[in-house]
Amino acid sequence: MATLVAVHAGRDVGAHEVEVTAPAVLVDVPALYQSHWRAMVRLAVLLVDDVASAEDVVQDAFIALHRRASALRDPDAAAAYLRASVVNLSRSVIRRRQVARKHLKVAEPEATPGADEYALLRAEHRQTLDAVHSLPRRQQEVLILRYWSGLSEREIAETLGISAGSVKSAASRGIATLQRQLGGGS
C-alpha cells in the first residue's frame, strides 16, 4: 500500500493511504492473431464446412477479442476465449443457414474446390468403380442402376427381370462387400 499526498490548489490537504495496483496486463491481439489465426480458421472450417465463412467467423472472433481485451481478467486465457468465440460464432452461422434453408429455400453457393480436389476425386472414383467391377455381375448391375441411375427397387427389378426381393438382397450384399473392400465398414 502506498501513501499519496493530495495537493489541492497549491496547498497540502493531507496524506491518504491508497491501494495502488499494478497496471492491467493487456492482451497482445496482433501477436495472438499471428500465432493462432490458422488454427482458428481450421477449427471454423471443420465446424461450418466453408472456408470463406470460416475466415469471417475467425475475423469476427478477433474483433470481439480486441473489443474486450481490456476486460479479460487473465490475458493467458485469451486463446481459450478466442476458441470459444469461434465455436459460438460457427454455431450462429450454422443456425442462420438452417433458417435460410428452412424458410427461404435458398441454396448456398457452391464453394470453389481446390485444384487438387478433382484429381483426388478421380482417384477415389476410380477406386470405387474398380471395387464395383469386382462384384458379381448381378450386384454390379443393381448398385449401378440404384446409385448411378437413381432407379427405384421396382424399376431395377423390372429392368433386370428379377424380383424386388432379389434386388434388395443383391444391393445389401454388394454394399457389404464394397464396405469391406474400401474400408468403410466395421
Side-chain angles (χ1 to χ4, degrees):
M1 183 137 355
T3 302
L4 295 178
V5 176
V7 178
H8 184 275
R11 60 188 184 124
D12 185 1
V13 291
H16 299 282
E17 285 194 20
V18 180
E19 185 174 332
V20 178
T21 59
V25 179
L26 295 178
V27 176
D28 188 0
V29 177
L32 267 173
Y33 188 86
Q34 289 294 322
S35 62
H36 293 304
W37 182 80
R38 279 192 170 91
M40 294 300 155
V41 169
R42 282 192 294 263
L43 171 64
V45 166
L46 291 172
L47 296 170
V48 299
D49 198 30
D50 172 20
V51 175
S53 295
E55 289 175 343
D56 289 344
V57 162
V58 172
Q59 194 65 32
D60 289 345
F62 272 104
I63 290 169
L65 175 66
H66 184 266
R67 286 183 182 145
R68 295 200 26 91
S70 62
L72 287 177
R73 282 181 252 131
D74 181 9
D76 295 332
Y81 174 87
L82 191 60
R83 194 172 10 267
S85 293
V86 167
V87 170
N88 289 332
L89 290 168
S90 295
R91 288 176 181 158
S92 295
V93 167
I94 291 167
R95 271 193 300 274
R96 282 191 300 273
R97 284 181 185 170
Q98 289 171 339
V99 168
R101 285 181 190 142
K102 182 178 179 182
H103 296 290
L104 302 177
K105 306 290 186 207
V106 175
E108 291 183 314
E110 292 292 322
T112 305
D116 61 343
E117 186 171 328
Y118 291 118
L120 293 173
L121 282 175
R122 278 191 228 122
E124 185 177 294
H125 288 169
R126 175 56 42 210
Q127 182 183 15
T128 303
L129 286 174
D130 290 343
V132 168
H133 290 301
S134 73
L135 295 173
R137 182 185 55 83
R138 169 83 35 91
Q139 292 175 12
Q140 281 182 43
E141 293 169 345
V142 167
L143 292 179
I144 290 171
L145 290 171
R146 186 173 192 181
Y147 295 104
W148 273 272
S149 299
L151 300 180
S152 68
E153 290 175 359
R154 183 184 55 77
E155 292 170 322
I156 295 169
E158 290 173 3
T159 302
L160 297 178
I162 59 176
S163 70
S166 295
V167 170
K168 289 180 185 180
S169 176
S172 177
R173 288 184 185 134
I175 289 172
T177 302
L178 288 175
Q179 285 177 335
R180 281 192 305 275
Q181 288 179 354
L182 298 173
S186 47

